[in-house]
Amino acid sequence: MAKNIKTKELTEWNYAPAPESKSIANIAPRYELFIDGGFVKPSSGRYFSTINPATEEKLSEIAEANENDVDKAVKAARKAFTIWSKIPAKERAKYLYRIARMIQERTREFAVIETLDGGKPIKESRDFDVPLAANHFFYYAGWADKLEYAFPGKNPKPLGVAGQIIPWNFPLLMAAWKIAPALACGNTVVLKPAETTSLTALKLAELFRDADLPAGVVNIVTGAGKTGAAIVNHPGIDKIAFTGSTQVGKIIQKAIAGTNKKATLELGGKAANIIFEDAPIDQAVEGVINGIFFNQGHVCCAGSRLFVQESVFSEVIKKLKHRMKSLQVGNPLDKNTDVGAINSKEQYQTICKYLEYGVKDGAEIFFHSCELPKKGYWVRPTLFLNVAQSHRIAQEEIFGPVLAVQTFRTIAEGLEKANNTPFGLSAGVWTDKGSKIFNLTTKLRAGVVWANTYNKFDPTSPFGGYKESGFGREGGLHGLMPYLTF
């Protein structure tokens, strides 16, 4: 009987399927725009499809907003600002707290929809995205009536109407990051989610309506780049908050130059994860895995460049390859899945091009040899060895599950290589020497530096970058400042 057992079954773990039920997700066949407290049809009468990237199945139709719709949303937000900004701060806090509790109550539904629409594993949606989104509303509910204590002697006042544009990698979380501090400070909002992942933002709109949030305080207009451009260029917008690519960030900066609009831009990244010879290697390898393969690498602060001190290089790579082989790739709704589907066909094609660039430039490729589903957009967890600083995979943001590995000998060399990038969003340091950590954190040109961990987020901690990774901070006390005038 043992002769009939395949070798693969003896050497690999075989997990029994543990799929989350889709029945909890109440997805309407069509979604309208959320303006002035209600859902309204788009002026253009046009809609676009949103699909499940794991199956390529259509989930729903989303309204496409044009300039007229954006104008309606901005006017509704301006009208609501005269009321919302004058509501006692402790009352605004109650709304934020109510929203946070309602997100918690609907955690499972939000998690399933986020996974269906975006392709990320359900355990990430369930354990990271949704809880952290709720926590941001809780946190800023606490600040709403304490702004004078946060900024003593400065008499903080709300700006007005905030135009907010969010990406497709963390749709619900990015909405919470931006909406919560804006409302806490007394501003009103016009939000545009990414066209490929609009569903959780629209479900959030339902929640705002059910929470009796005053009409016009939050307006959600859906669409692609033209809709975002209409928000950026609208004269009734007082502040732009954008998370997305560096290329689009530069376009926004040019568009608002010469205006009085304030802005925060959280853009691309090419983070360095640095492992020293005195690091806890097993812990560091796990941190590297989390740093690059979390959310299929669709993370602006992903640790996509790994620098390993030469003396431990062989050990690190051996353990890294072994750990990669244990990653479960497949159905995002399965609770065993570690790496889900690529968010869209367009992003899938982009990642595939960079894989070709890496091989063409002479880097050595290694990837997880797992079997991929026949439908959907999938990329195996991949790493490149023998990478040079000049390689495109070492310089440009891939935004996928692709790791570029380099070596270094001295601290100075490691720092020079880590900082040799136009980006400056995040970095990771792995060592058992506290003095080395503090030395590196003062010299790494990155907005966030993790020590002996990676991808740890908290609403109380500010997040943002330097150089071409943008400016301004979101989260923490610092996250209030862009929404206030003093």
Side-chain angles (χ1 to χ4, degrees):
M1 190 171 181
K3 292 181 180 180
N4 296 325
I5 301 177
K6 296 180 181 179
T7 304
K8 181 178 179 181
E9 294 175 334
L10 293 173
T11 58
E12 296 183 8
W13 288 101
N14 293 306
Y15 293 94
E20 175 63 275
S21 173
K22 292 190 291 187
S23 62
I24 190 70
N26 183 20
I27 300 175
R30 173 175 285 187
Y31 283 93
E32 313 293 352
L33 308 174
F34 185 72
I35 298 175
D36 204 19
F39 287 95
V40 298
K41 294 184 181 298
S43 301
S44 64
R46 298 178 63 181
Y47 297 81
F48 57 93
S49 298
T50 186
I51 69 165
N52 179 347
T55 63
E56 301 180 57
E57 295 174 346
K58 180 179 175 180
L59 294 171
S60 183
E61 289 185 343
I62 310 294
E64 182 178 339
N66 59 20
E67 291 184 1
N68 291 332
D69 299 310
V70 170
D71 183 59
K72 292 176 185 177
V74 173
K75 288 179 178 177
R78 178 63 60 189
K79 180 180 177 182
F81 176 70
T82 60
I83 301 171
W84 182 250
S85 60
K86 292 179 173 58
I87 290 177
K90 64 179 182 180
E91 296 301 318
R92 291 202 299 270
K94 290 178 182 178
Y95 280 106
L96 291 174
Y97 187 85
R98 183 185 300 171
I99 292 166
R101 291 289 293 127
M102 293 175 75
I103 292 174
Q104 284 186 324
E105 290 166 0
R106 297 173 64 176
T107 292
R108 191 178 172 200
E109 180 184 12
F110 271 110
V112 170
I113 294 174
E114 197 78 317
T115 289
L116 288 172
D117 204 24
K120 65 177 60 187
I122 185 65
K123 64 182 179 184
E124 292 179 8
S125 301
R126 178 196 65 202
D127 300 340
F128 179 81
D129 293 57
V130 182
L132 194 54
N135 286 344
H136 272 273
F137 280 101
F138 277 128
Y139 176 71
Y140 285 109
W143 273 120
D145 62 348
K146 303 177 184 65
L147 298 180
E148 293 181 359
Y149 297 97
F151 308 103
K154 291 191 175 182
N155 191 29
K157 300 291 183 183
L159 289 174
V161 179
Q164 303 178 331
I165 303 168
I166 60 176
W168 45 259
N169 54 340
F170 294 97
L172 179 65
L173 179 56
M174 291 295 103
W177 272 31
K178 287 176 166 51
I179 293 173
L183 299 193
C185 293
N187 301 279
T188 53
V189 166
V190 177
L191 176 84
K192 190 200 87 68
E195 65 271 24
T196 61
T197 53
S198 300
L199 287 182
T200 46
L202 293 165
K203 297 300 287 188
L204 196 59
E206 294 178 5
L207 190 148
F208 292 149
R209 179 194 61 193
D210 296 343
D212 294 326
L213 189 70
V217 171
V218 175
N219 306 271
I220 298 178
V221 291
T222 46
K226 289 183 179 180
T227 307
I231 293 174
V232 170
N233 294 316
H234 197 289
I237 294 290
D238 299 298
K239 185 259 190 309
I240 295 294
F242 172 76
T243 297
S245 71
T246 297
Q247 181 182 5
V248 176
K250 290 178 179 179
I251 294 172
I252 291 174
Q253 277 191 288
K254 290 179 181 178
I256 65 175
T259 72
N260 292 322
K261 295 174 183 175
K262 294 182 70 174
T264 50
L265 303 178
E266 196 263 280
L267 309 176
K270 194 70 179 175
N273 224 343
I274 309 171
I275 299 179
F276 287 91
E277 60 187 359
D278 58 0
I281 301 300
D282 290 336
Q283 180 182 337
V285 167
E286 197 62 31
V288 170
I289 292 290
N290 177 53
I292 185 58
F293 301 130
F294 175 67
N295 196 31
Q296 296 75 253
H298 299 333
V299 186
C300 49
C301 57
S304 54
R305 294 183 299 146
L306 175 61
F307 297 95
V308 185
Q309 200 155 19
E310 281 189 1
S311 57
V312 292
F313 176 75
S314 297
E315 180 184 2
V316 168
I317 297 305
K318 180 181 178 181
K319 292 187 174 183
L320 185 57
K321 288 181 176 180
H322 178 74
R323 181 65 180 89
M324 286 175 63
K325 291 177 182 178
S326 70
L327 292 172
Q328 301 293 305
V329 183
N331 180 10
L333 279 175
D334 193 316
K335 302 179 188 72
N336 296 317
T337 296
D338 299 306
V339 181
I342 301 304
N343 182 267
S344 66
K345 183 178 182 180
E346 180 182 11
Q347 187 59 26
Y348 167 76
Q349 293 171 339
T350 297
I351 297 169
C352 288
K353 285 182 182 178
Y354 276 103
L355 295 178
E356 293 174 2
Y357 294 149
V359 173
K360 186 178 180 180
D361 287 341
E364 177 188 338
I365 190 171
F366 172 85
F367 53 83
H368 187 356
S369 59
C370 57
E371 185 177 346
L372 300 179
K374 294 180 180 179
K375 282 191 174 182
Y377 312 120
W378 307 90
V379 172
R380 292 180 174 90
T382 303
L383 67 83
F384 280 102
L385 303 174
N386 300 326
V387 176
Q389 286 285 86
S390 59
H391 288 178
R392 294 184 67 170
I393 57 173
Q395 287 294 324
E396 299 177 13
E397 186 177 37
I398 301 173
F399 224 60
V402 183
L403 179 65
V405 186
Q406 300 180 62
T407 62
F408 68 95
R409 293 181 181 178
T410 66
I411 294 177
E413 182 188 359
L415 272 170
E416 185 178 2
K417 287 184 174 179
N419 286 333
N420 184 21
T421 173
F423 300 105
L425 188 57
S426 59
V429 177
W430 299 87
T431 173
D432 70 354
K433 300 293 189 296
S435 58
K436 191 181 293 183
I437 290 170
F438 286 117
N439 176 42
L440 288 163
T441 55
T442 60
K443 296 175 181 177
L444 283 166
R445 297 301 294 165
V448 176
V449 181
W450 286 289
N452 294 329
T453 189
Y454 207 89
N455 274 342
K456 297 296 181 183
F457 297 91
D458 191 280
T460 66
S461 179
F463 182 87
Y466 291 104
K467 299 188 287 186
E468 290 195 9
S469 289
F471 55 83
R473 295 295 180 264
E474 294 179 308
L477 178 64
H478 300 71
L480 295 165
M481 297 176 69
Y483 293 99
L484 294 167
T485 181
F486 301 100

